[in-house]
Amino acid sequence: MDGGVMSDLISDAKEKYKVAVDGWEHVFAAAKDDMQFTYDIGAGQWSDADRERRKGRPCITVNKLQKFVRQLRGDFMQSRPSMKVIPVDDKADVQTAELLNAIIRQIEYQSNAPKVYDTAYAHSAACSIGFWRILTKYTSDDSFDQDIVIKRILNPVSVHFDPFATEFNLEDAQYCFVEELIDKKDFQRLYPKAKATNFDGDKDNLLGSWIQEDKIRVCEYFYKKIVPKKIYLLSDGNIFTGKMDKELLQAYGLSVVREREVETHVVKWCKINGAEVLEEADWAGNGIPIIPMFGDEVVVDGKKYYLSLIRGAKGSQQMYNYWASAATENVMLTPKTPFLVDHRQIKGFENEWNDANLNPRMYLRYNAIAGLQKPSREPQTQVPVAIINMMQSTAYDIEDHLGRYEASKGEAGNERSGKAIIARINQSDKGTFTFVDNASNSIIAGLKQIVDLIPKIYDTHRALNILGENGERGQVEVNKPDIGAQGEEITTNDLSVGKYDVISTVGPSFGSKREEMVKMIIESMQYAPTLAGVLAPMIFRYSDWPGAQEIAQKLEQAAQQQAALEAQGAKPPQ
């Protein structure tokens, strides 16, 4: 890259970085505080000022929020939303859509997508913002073929999007930064001619200045470059893009019906430090491949805020910690309950009674004195009722804000039937469905980018591994040159033809549906045992444990043999 162009790029990047950091500062500050509060890390749930004021006194944390975040994550992991590719124009077809579904499932399988999505979802629930990303990589060290992969972003505050983007998933963002810390030795190995200079973002605390001594801060910079072009509508209905040769067009008997100027864009990528561009390339996709997963979005006076699950419950949690500390302090400051004895009763046994509060004994000996009752102990000091009431009240306040009660947490309630319990849990789930829906939108946004990327990365004749909806693995040849029925040249499984979209289908993913199907089949057999021979193979067919498919096959063969014998009038073997 020319030195002047590089300098302009670095200057432009730093200017946009500052705008992005300033625009997201209020979101990141709240997110960092939420994360520390949820998991009781760093300052945790007691501020430094509170700890200083209570120096020498209990500062107990009874973390009642973390279990709700984990429960929300557990619900998401057990029943992730199911996505489906569909054709959207007359050149697309259902078969290719199913092939794209199988390719995406393989990409997710190879990338350990459940953990990628769960990490972003955990961040969105605990601190309101999470991110994941799409990458390409070579299939091996001796190949030029590439694969699409998805990766998690562990530190959500390392991502800085264009703050003027208005779409929920930031599809309209014009730029994005992803900060990274590289060991100095690795930096010198990767970029031997580059200067060991930090990308001088002015918010170094976001990544933690304490790890800067032996690290170099670099920054990935995605930006959209506007590319004007002209499109033509031809007399045969086709649309042509590029330089128009009207004489050639007339030779084919065609003419231009309409034409218009459009502004499109290409996505550029570079990795920069504080002084130079370390790497640069064009991104093959149409969108910036950093996918956000947000919590609850709120706009106040034109300014966007994102709320975590626990944001509004922090005050109640702090109150609960205070009252738990007060109860502990109250009991701690009360002297140990003494025995009331006459000195004559313990004469000769003083050592046993002196350490009675330290060593547990099966019995304590005493001297029986006529007219005196046996030694007795004072009643145990009780925690004041007011403190107990406040703890119960604040615990309810936490649940009330989060919208999750009793049965939804697994606690026993008044419900007795399974349907009533499920209805109660579903009622509580409605209060947190915003997070599930936003996660679904995030995954759809990412998969749309993958659908756009597939024909650009898998653009040659090659065999691809695919994953069926039932988990069966296979291979398929794409972009395969072939001969049609009339002897014409065609391309089988041409991924570049047609337009496709991604939708969220109703209900959980196939794995959850399959488990529900097995359960329903077993329940059906209880009410219709005569159908057991027909339904039993299906139970094993839709089970995941080792040997299930072999058992299903043998049961099907046995059923076929029995049906054949019955058709011949023979008695089936017992």
Side-chain angles (χ1 to χ4, degrees):
M1 179 181 288
D2 179 76
V5 175
M6 180 188 295
S7 178
D8 291 343
L9 178 60
I10 295 291
S11 298
D12 181 63
K14 289 183 177 180
E15 183 178 341
K16 288 180 177 176
Y17 176 85
K18 186 177 186 308
V19 172
V21 169
D22 290 343
W24 286 88
E25 184 175 14
H26 66 290
V27 176
F28 285 178
K32 185 176 179 180
D33 185 71
D34 283 356
M35 184 69 81
Q36 292 181 337
F37 195 96
T38 300
Y39 296 104
D40 195 25
I41 297 170
Q45 298 183 2
W46 290 88
S47 68
D48 292 338
D50 287 337
R51 290 184 185 276
E52 183 62 28
R53 281 193 295 266
R54 294 182 63 85
K55 195 171 184 179
R57 301 171 62 191
C59 291
I60 293 174
T61 298
V62 183
N63 196 339
K64 299 182 74 67
L65 299 178
Q66 190 172 339
K67 63 180 178 182
F68 291 103
V69 173
R70 286 177 173 169
Q71 185 190 34
L72 201 64
R73 288 178 62 186
D75 292 343
F76 180 75
M77 287 188 286
Q78 287 182 334
S79 184
R80 290 185 182 85
S82 180
M83 308 298 165
K84 185 177 182 181
V85 178
I86 59 170
V88 295
D89 68 359
D90 57 348
K91 296 180 181 179
D93 59 79
V94 175
Q95 291 76 18
T96 305
E98 288 301 321
L99 175 57
L100 290 172
N101 281 317
I103 293 172
I104 289 173
R105 282 192 290 268
Q106 178 66 20
I107 291 171
E108 291 183 319
Y109 170 76
Q110 286 185 321
S111 304
N112 193 14
K115 183 53 64 178
V116 173
Y117 300 148
D118 173 56
T119 300
Y121 187 71
H123 288 155
S124 71
C127 71
S128 79
I129 52 171
F131 298 94
W132 56 285
R133 67 182 304 172
I134 304 167
L135 296 165
T136 60
K137 68 173 186 178
Y138 288 105
T139 56
S140 65
D141 292 339
D142 56 358
S143 173
F144 289 98
D145 290 335
Q146 293 191 65
D147 283 330
I148 301 169
V149 296
I150 61 177
K151 296 288 185 182
R152 58 184 185 158
I153 294 179
L154 287 175
N155 187 1
V157 298
S158 67
V159 179
H160 311 284
F161 261 99
D162 175 5
F164 298 107
T166 57
E167 295 294 332
F168 182 75
N169 289 306
L170 309 181
E171 298 97 332
D172 57 334
Q174 297 301 304
Y175 57 88
C176 176
F177 297 90
V178 182
E179 295 185 70
E180 181 184 4
L181 291 165
I182 300 179
D183 184 83
K184 284 185 177 180
K185 292 182 180 179
D186 290 336
F187 180 88
Q188 292 167 355
R189 177 179 58 83
L190 293 170
Y191 312 107
K193 297 181 180 181
K195 297 178 181 178
T197 305
N198 276 309
F199 179 76
D200 54 350
D202 58 351
K203 298 295 179 183
D204 59 354
N205 64 309
L206 291 177
L207 287 179
S209 56
W210 59 275
I211 55 175
Q212 299 297 310
E213 294 181 0
D214 58 347
K215 304 286 184 180
I216 296 293
R217 181 192 298 270
V218 297
C219 192
E220 291 182 77
Y221 175 35
F222 292 91
Y223 62 98
K224 294 178 180 178
K225 183 178 180 180
I226 302 301
V227 179
K229 69 176 183 179
K230 184 178 284 189
I231 63 173
Y232 303 87
L233 176 62
L234 305 182
S235 54
D236 64 352
N238 288 319
I239 295 176
F240 177 80
T241 302
K243 188 176 181 180
M244 175 61 67
D245 188 335
K246 293 189 177 181
E247 292 182 1
L248 181 62
L249 199 64
Q250 290 174 357
Y252 282 98
L254 298 173
S255 61
V256 176
V257 178
R258 296 176 61 188
E259 61 181 72
R260 72 185 182 97
E261 298 279 351
V262 297
E263 270 195 357
T264 183
H265 67 267
V266 293
V267 178
K268 300 283 188 177
W269 171 87
C270 60
K271 182 175 285 189
I272 57 181
N273 63 1
E276 57 194 309
V277 176
L278 306 172
E279 299 179 64
E280 61 176 338
D282 289 343
W283 175 248
N286 192 47
I288 295 174
I290 308 298
I291 317 299
M293 189 179 291
F294 292 129
D296 195 7
E297 182 188 50
V298 178
V299 179
V300 180
D301 292 334
K303 192 173 183 178
K304 286 190 291 187
Y305 297 84
Y306 297 99
L307 308 181
S308 64
L309 174 68
I310 62 94
R311 181 75 55 83
K314 288 159 71 174
S316 298
Q317 174 65 65
Q318 288 175 316
M319 288 176 62
Y320 193 91
N321 291 340
Y322 172 80
W323 290 116
S325 301
T328 303
E329 186 177 30
N330 183 273
V331 175
M332 181 180 69
L333 294 177
T334 303
K336 292 183 179 179
T337 54
F339 285 93
L340 296 181
V341 298
D342 185 284
H343 67 93
R344 294 171 295 172
Q345 292 179 302
I346 62 173
K347 187 176 181 180
F349 308 118
E350 290 86 355
N351 290 336
E352 295 181 16
W353 285 85
N354 286 339
D355 64 359
N357 281 332
L358 301 177
N359 297 321
R361 294 179 177 274
M362 293 294 295
Y363 54 85
L364 288 173
R365 295 180 290 178
Y366 72 98
N367 300 311
I369 305 297
L372 295 178
Q373 295 182 349
K374 66 180 181 179
S376 62
R377 197 165 200 169
E378 285 287 274
Q380 178 70 35
T381 301
Q382 300 296 315
V383 177
V385 175
I387 292 180
I388 295 176
N389 289 341
M390 288 302 298
M391 291 179 67
Q392 292 174 343
S393 176
T394 51
Y396 179 82
D397 287 343
I398 293 172
E399 295 178 353
D400 190 44
H401 171 80
L402 299 175
R404 302 186 77 89
Y405 307 91
E406 298 163 358
S408 68
K409 299 182 299 178
E411 296 180 9
N414 295 326
E415 304 84 357
R416 291 296 176 263
S417 70
K419 286 186 177 180
I421 294 173
I422 292 174
R424 177 66 177 274
I425 294 174
N426 290 339
Q427 184 68 28
S428 292
D429 287 345
K430 291 179 181 179
T432 53
F433 186 73
T434 298
F435 293 90
V436 178
D437 188 55
N438 290 349
S440 177
N441 287 330
S442 172
I443 297 172
I444 288 175
L447 295 188
K448 284 183 177 181
Q449 287 203 31
I450 291 177
V451 169
D452 169 66
L453 203 58
I454 283 174
K456 300 169 183 176
I457 300 300
Y458 305 127
D459 58 347
T460 59
H461 176 212
R462 59 186 288 193
L464 292 180
N465 292 323
I466 58 173
L467 190 64
E469 189 178 14
N470 59 359
E472 294 181 359
R473 296 177 176 81
Q475 269 197 347
V476 64
E477 289 187 80
V478 298
N479 307 314
K480 180 183 178 183
D482 212 339
I483 303 298
Q486 305 299 323
E488 74 279 13
E489 293 184 356
I490 62 171
T491 302
T492 304
N493 294 328
D494 189 347
L495 299 176
S496 65
V497 176
K499 293 182 179 180
Y500 298 87
D501 200 1
V502 180
I503 61 171
S504 176
T505 57
V506 177
S509 61
F510 179 78
S512 300
K513 292 179 182 177
R514 182 168 53 186
E515 293 171 2
E516 186 176 0
M517 182 185 297
V518 170
K519 182 179 178 181
M520 292 180 65
I521 291 173
I522 294 174
E523 291 179 354
S524 299
M525 289 171 60
Q526 294 176 351
Y527 294 100
T530 55
L531 297 176
V534 177
L535 298 178
M538 298 179 67
I539 296 175
F540 296 96
R541 178 68 64 194
Y542 291 101
S543 297
D544 290 330
W545 44 270
Q549 303 306 312
E550 289 78 0
I551 295 175
Q553 187 175 1
K554 290 185 179 297
L555 288 174
E556 289 170 352
Q557 291 174 353
Q560 292 172 359
Q561 292 174 358
Q562 181 173 341
L565 290 172
E566 290 177 350
Q568 297 172 2
K571 185 177 180 181
Q574 300 295 322

